[in-house]
Every structure is written in structure tokens, then in C-alpha cells.
Amino acid sequence: MADENSGYDKKEKSPLGDLVVSNSNSHLRAEGLIFLIGYMGCGKSTKAKQLAHRLECPVVDLDAEIVSKSGKTIAEYFIEFGESGFRNFESEMLKTFDYPKTCVVATGGGLPCFFDNMDWMNANGTTVYLQMEPAALVSRLHNRQKRPLIKDLNDEELLAFIEVKLEERNPFYMKARIIVDAFDLDAEQLEETIKNKIS
């Protein structure tokens, strides 16, 4: 269920625009930014592409943009600058990226939990939390070498790690305007949920 008091204020007009919806046909017609947030492995990048395709708008993957701008993988950036260096760069990228007027944005799993990133996203777009249980996340996180925080963990260790991290991060994630169960979620269901919540 969405948290209606999540820091999103319809009366404050964002320079990037609030999400505007037309119900003129069966598809959501969006104008504004949609930020997909959630823990690693919940499907943000995949769902962002699928949703953008349905909305006929661009998709922005912030992790991919970080890699493109820095010339380093996320893992390499962590090794060279540490997590604090990465989080600073990640926050800067979030707030200074030249977004199209309308687009779907896939964010990094930790991005909403640092600085004022979550408040900034709520002020400048519509946030959607792709919620998933820890065991389901473990089952989806097979290729861990590209993920610096979990690359050395087995399944049992990973489950315990995710449970702790979700407890820490959920207060931030739950500020999202829209919260959906991401397990077996398809793009049509996601589009319909967003449409229903903001209509």
C-alpha cells in the first residue's frame, strides 16, 4: 500500500514536473519522472526498460550512467574511492543528470538511503518501491561478483545480510509514493498500479 504522506507534495511544482496522467486510453500517458527504487536484485533495471517501453518514453539507468561518466565499473569505483566516495558521486549524478522531460529512472539499491536523495526524488518525480522478500532476493542474486557489497557471500550469509540491510533501508524505501510487490510483477501490472495510485 502506498504511503500517502511520503514527502511528496503535489502543491510544490518541481522544475522537472510532476507526473501528469491522461486516461484517454488503456495506457498510462505520463509526463514527468518515475523513479524505481528497491534493494539490489528486485528488478529495477529490467522493469524500468519494460515500463518505459509501454509508456513510449526514455529510460535512464543511473548505475549505467555512473559507469559511463567515470569510466569504471561500480565494483572498481568502490575499490578505488570506497563506499563514501561512490555515494557522493551517485548523489551528484542523481541531482545533476540532464533528464528528459518524461522518463523512467532505475536507481541503485542504496541510493535512496543516503543524504537527502529520497526527499529529492519525491520532490522531483514519482517514486515507486519495488518491494521483495529477502529469500526471493537471494534467489535472484546469482552473479554477485559485479556487486561489491555481496560478492563474497554464500546464500546463507547473503540472506542474513539482506535481512539486516532491509531493516536499515526500509524506513527510506517506505517513503516512496507507490509501493508494489515486485515478485512476479510484469510491466503491465506495474503500469496499472502506478495509473491507479496517481489517478
Side-chain angles (χ1 to χ4, degrees):
M1 184 174 181
D3 180 1
E4 297 297 333
N5 298 309
S6 59
Y8 182 90
D9 186 351
K10 284 187 176 180
K11 295 180 182 178
E12 291 186 11
K13 298 302 292 181
S14 158
L16 298 176
D18 291 330
L19 190 66
V20 177
V21 179
S22 169
N23 292 316
S24 58
N25 54 44
S26 60
H27 288 293
L28 173 68
R29 306 302 300 172
E31 181 177 306
L33 306 183
I34 300 175
F35 294 97
L36 300 189
I37 70 169
Y39 200 76
M40 69 177 89
C42 71
K44 298 182 296 294
S45 295
T46 299
K47 291 296 180 289
K49 292 174 185 176
Q50 294 171 346
L51 181 60
H53 177 73
R54 292 187 64 84
L55 302 182
E56 299 179 351
C57 70
V59 61
V60 174
D61 189 312
L62 284 178
D63 277 353
E65 295 298 334
I66 287 171
V67 170
S68 176
K69 186 172 182 179
S70 69
K72 305 176 189 299
T73 66
I74 302 298
E76 289 170 344
Y77 204 98
F78 262 73
I79 291 171
E80 185 167 346
F81 300 104
E83 184 174 8
S84 62
F86 174 77
R87 296 304 178 190
N88 278 302
F89 188 46
E90 180 183 51
S91 183
E92 178 185 354
M93 179 67 74
L94 169 70
K95 297 168 185 174
T96 62
F97 189 80
D98 186 17
Y99 297 99
K101 183 177 181 181
T102 299
C103 68
V104 181
V105 184
T107 67
L111 181 145
C113 312
F114 290 85
F115 310 111
D116 61 344
N117 294 342
M118 192 67 207
D119 292 336
W120 189 92
M121 288 187 287
N122 274 326
N124 288 281
T126 297
T127 49
V128 183
Y129 174 23
L130 303 184
Q131 191 174 42
M132 193 174 288
E133 292 297 317
L137 290 167
V138 171
S139 70
R140 294 165 59 91
L141 290 167
H142 301 299
N143 186 4
R144 299 171 194 168
Q145 291 306 309
K146 295 181 179 180
R147 301 180 183 270
L149 295 178
I150 63 169
K151 63 184 181 65
D152 298 319
L153 303 182
N154 60 36
D155 283 357
E156 184 177 347
E157 292 168 335
L158 180 58
L159 178 60
F161 179 85
I162 290 175
E163 288 173 342
V164 170
K165 283 296 183 182
L166 277 181
E167 187 172 348
E168 295 173 355
R169 292 182 176 186
N170 265 332
F172 299 94
Y173 291 158
M174 297 300 285
K175 291 182 179 180
R177 185 177 177 197
I178 299 169
I179 299 169
V180 296
D181 183 353
F183 189 73
D184 284 341
L185 178 71
D186 62 34
E188 183 177 359
Q189 291 171 322
L190 179 57
E191 179 189 15
E192 189 65 25
T193 299
I194 295 172
K195 179 179 176 180
N196 289 340
K197 293 293 184 182
I198 63 181
S199 296

